[in-house]
Each structure stands twice: as structure tokens, then as C-alpha cells.
Amino acid sequence: MAFIPSETVIGLVGTGVMGKSMAGHFIQAGYEVHIYTRTKSKAQELIEQGAHWEASPGELAGKCQVIFTMVGFPTDVEEIYLGANGILANAQPGSYLVDMTTSSPILAKRIYEEALTRQMYALDAPVSGGDIGAKEARLSIMVGGARDVFDEVLPLLEKLGTNIVYQGAAGSGQHTKMCNQIAIASNMMGVVEALVYAQKAGLDPTTVLKSIETGAAGSWSLSNLAPRMIAGNFAPGFYVKHFIKDMKIALESAEEMKLELPGLTLAKSLYEQLAASGEEDSGTQALFKLINK
């Protein structure tokens, strides 16, 4: 199926830090875009760009052939897909459903199977790249579901990202995102500790970055979030509370596989301390505040 702008109506549920940019890319590409967010005022900028706001996920689903979702927690995903006024109960047979929330692999499989019983096609397609990747349409997208459905939806995913990889059956995208978050969690501890060490040693952290970010220590977090830490910018590209949610999902999945992840366990405990200090709505780089005491 070709998703031609003049013929395809796209829905997007969730217009937060990430979803806002995603919806904007589809609007700029010429698609008719319908959006839903709990607070209409937060979607005003998209409405001014031409998006149509709907009062519920169900109302949106009934008007769109392809529906993307980017919400906060697995409980939100379950509600908007499986609730009485949700997507599956109201979308038309033949609809394509793409959940880009970082969520539970088990829930992704459940949505995939329930969608099939209604002749709908679901993909779990979580992303990495943060607010910058979303704004610049350079997200890394990891996808689980049927291969033929992935191939059909790929041209739309290419409006949002540049590194788009099919990972396997339903739930595989979410498992891959867990791998991503596990790697980030320990890396963030290292980035923060390196900057705090640089300061205590009397070095200029910005100058230190020039030496280490392109060497073996290099990482996305070091290049993109360390400068924010140095500048005292803790605005959320990715919320602390959402990162804790992701780490919890990963640890629960690891427990099911009888796998111990000591680095992730430590990172989660540190971020929970950070959230308890009032930083749950800060960006993940705010871990710097906890360590730099």
C-alpha cells in the first residue's frame, strides 16, 4: 500500500516533546494529520499548522488509516489501544497502528495479536535520539511486528528517522529499546562522573570534552548531554520519570530471563533518588545534580 499524502490520513496520539515534532514532519510532508492529546492547549501550535484535534483516541482512530502513538507509560499505551474508547475499538479494518512509546514487550505482543483479530496491523517501533533527533527527523527507530507491514510503513517512518531497523516479531522493537536504555543508563553515570571529576581536578570541563568525546570514551550522551550539564541546562529532552519507567521495564524483562543487570540496577536507584529530590520532570542529564554535591 502506498501512503500518498493526498489520499492518506495520519493520526498521532501524544504531542509531547517527541510527538509534537513527529506530527510536524507529517504536516510538512503534505499529509492530513489528526492529533489527540489530553490537554488541547498543548497542541495549539500544531493546530495552527493545520492539524485537526480530536477529543479522544477513539474519535481519531475512526478517521485515520495510519495511527502513530507516542505517550508516556505502558498504562497509557494499554488505555489508548485497548480501552473502550480506544484505538482498536474504533479504527477501521485495514488500519496500520504504530506505537513509538517505549513500553512493555509483552504489551506490544498483546496489541499485535488483538489488532490481527480485527484485521488491523500493529508495529512496536520505539525510538532513540531524544528531542534533537525528533526535531531533525534523525531518530533511530527499532521495529517489531510482521515484516511485510514494516516494509509498507517504512516510507512513513523515513519521515521521522534515518536509522530504521526491522528487529523481528512483535515485541522485538521494545526488547531492542531495552538494550538501548541499558547501554545509556551506565553510560550516563560515566558521563556525569567524568564531568564532576574534571571540575574537582580544576579542569575546564568544556576543554576536557574536546579531548575525550571523539576518542574511545565518545558517546551520544557525552556529545549532546554533557554540554547541557556544563551549561546548567536540565530541561527535558527525555524526562527522568520516563527513564525510570524504561529501566523498570528492562529489569522486569531481565528478571523473566533470569538475568542480573548490576549496572542498570545501580542507575535506576540513582535516578530514583534524583526523582525523590524533585527532579522527575527534569531531563536525564540532571543526574549531574545528584553526583555533583
Side-chain angles (χ1 to χ4, degrees), residues 182 250-251 254 259-266:
I182 291 166
L251 286 170
L259 174 65
E260 291 187 13
L261 300 173
L264 183 64
T265 301
L266 175 58

Side-chain angles (χ1 to χ4, degrees), residues 109 112 124 143-146 166-173:
K109 292 178 185 177
Y112 171 85
D124 51 289
V143 188
Y166 176 72
Q167 295 291 342
S172 297

Side-chain angles (χ1 to χ4, degrees), residues 239-285:
Y239 288 106
V240 165
K241 62 185 178 185
H242 290 164
F243 196 29
I244 292 172
K245 173 262 297 184
D246 293 355
M247 289 187 280
K248 181 181 178 185
I249 294 170
L251 286 170
E252 289 172 349
S253 296
E255 186 176 352
E256 291 171 9
M257 296 183 281
K258 303 188 184 324
L259 174 65
E260 291 187 13
L261 300 173
L264 183 64
T265 301
L266 175 58
K268 179 172 173 284
S269 70
L270 292 174
Y271 272 100
E272 286 174 338
Q273 291 179 49
L274 183 65
S277 72
E279 299 285 348
E280 67 172 12
D281 288 323
S282 297
T284 53
Q285 70 273 22

